Amino acid sequence: KNQVEQSPQSLIILEGKNCTLQCNYTVSPFSNLRWYKQDTGRGPVSLTIMTFSENTKSNGRYTATLDADTKQSSLHITASQLSDSASYICVVSGSITGTASKLTFGTGTRLQVTL
Amino acid sequence: NAGVTQTPKFQVLKTGQSMTLQCAQDMNHEYMSWYRQDPGMGLRLIHYSVGAGITDQGEVPNGYNVSRSTTEDFPLRLLSAAPSQTSVYFCASRKGPLQPYEQYFGPGTRLTVT
């Protein structure tokens, strides 16, 4: 069964500190992996998309890594800010279901940045 | 560009009532989809469309109906609301159904069925 598992479920860090969120997946075949940020009460917003051949991608203070051999990804947040408080969702795209690529969503890591 | 818009933002229904959740995008995207988000679960696909006049079922389609008469609009209809349909609903769109295009989400509709 295709699954995306994220850890930790929740995390509290002090403003200015770094953190790393983990994503393990069993989706096969693999096409691409996405990280989304979801603020409370809002829709998810894309941070990065990585295909099979990419092993790192940055978007400002966010850096995602991908190891397609071990089926693991991480999202590293540098110098955290209060505005980084949100849920971070890992999404893996794999097989084609019907007429479109299927996206499998993780349950997210809830990050709280405090003073 | 407004991106993906959804209305209403909040809705309360009684069991058995029907309603339509509206979704529109102004990016000329071929692919549009509806998800539901429930506590402790990842987003789950309800229905999707790869173009005007073409729709298909996702993983949790029961109790929902969709149609796509234009590229811009993709409404989701609840035929006879049940408490199990209490959830947050997100509409999303991307340029095409197959390539790794960025997917854009709407702001969501929080639905409560009593």
Side-chain angles (χ1 to χ4, degrees):
Chain A
K1 181 181 177 183
N2 288 339
Q3 285 188 315
V4 176
E5 295 184 351
Q6 294 186 243
S7 61
Q9 276 191 322
S10 62
L11 183 62
I12 302 174
I13 63 173
L14 292 175
E15 187 181 31
K17 297 296 186 183
N18 303 336
C19 68
T20 300
L21 314 181
Q22 301 290 343
C23 173
N24 295 340
Y25 61 92
T26 59
V27 175
S28 182
F30 173 84
S31 172
N32 59 84
L33 185 145
R34 308 157 185 246
W35 282 94
Y36 284 87
K37 178 186 179 188
Q38 184 176 21
D39 292 316
T40 300
R42 310 287 290 272
V45 174
S46 179
L47 295 175
T48 64
I49 301 175
M50 288 185 292
T51 59
F52 183 88
S53 59
E54 297 173 297
N55 55 23
T56 187
K57 203 160 195 178
S58 291
N59 178 358
R61 293 180 296 101
Y62 301 101
T63 299
T65 65
L66 172 64
D67 186 334
D69 291 331
T70 61
K71 299 188 177 182
Q72 296 180 325
S73 176
S74 65
L75 181 69
H76 186 74
I77 304 174
T78 303
S80 60
Q81 299 176 358
L82 295 178
S83 59
D84 292 330
S85 296
S87 287
Y88 292 84
I89 302 172
C90 177
V91 184
V92 179
S93 177
S95 59
I96 296 172
T97 301
T99 52
S101 299
K102 176 177 167 56
L103 301 184
T104 302
F105 289 76
T107 55
T109 291
R110 181 170 293 276
L111 174 65
Q112 184 178 347
V113 181
T114 65
L115 292 172
Chain B
N1 286 356
V4 180
T5 58
Q6 290 182 237
T7 56
K9 182 76 172 167
F10 301 95
Q11 184 69 50
V12 178
L13 290 178
K14 295 188 187 308
T15 298
Q17 288 184 319
S18 63
M19 77 159 295
T20 299
L21 280 61
Q22 301 292 343
C23 173
Q25 53 91 10
D26 61 359
M27 298 173 281
N28 200 32
H29 285 172
E30 280 185 16
Y31 180 90
M32 296 185 73
S33 54
W34 277 100
Y35 294 88
R36 59 179 290 172
Q37 187 175 39
D38 300 294
M41 302 184 74
L43 274 78
R44 292 182 292 167
L45 182 65
I46 303 171
H47 285 286
Y48 67 94
S49 168
V50 297
I54 307 170
T55 63
D56 208 345
Q57 296 182 348
E59 57 184 308
V60 288
N62 292 342
Y64 307 95
N65 220 347
V66 291
S67 60
R68 182 119 177 251
S69 56
T70 67
T71 300
E72 295 78 20
D73 300 299
F74 190 45
L76 178 72
R77 279 180 283 278
L78 278 70
L79 309 173
S80 176
S84 61
Q85 293 179 304
T86 293
S87 188
V88 182
Y89 291 85
F90 290 100
C91 180
S93 76
R94 61 182 193 249
K95 187 175 179 181
L98 298 176
Q99 297 302 315
Y101 295 118
E102 188 160 332
Q103 179 151 295
Y104 297 87
F105 286 84
T109 294
R110 183 173 293 273
L111 175 68
T112 302
V113 182
T114 61

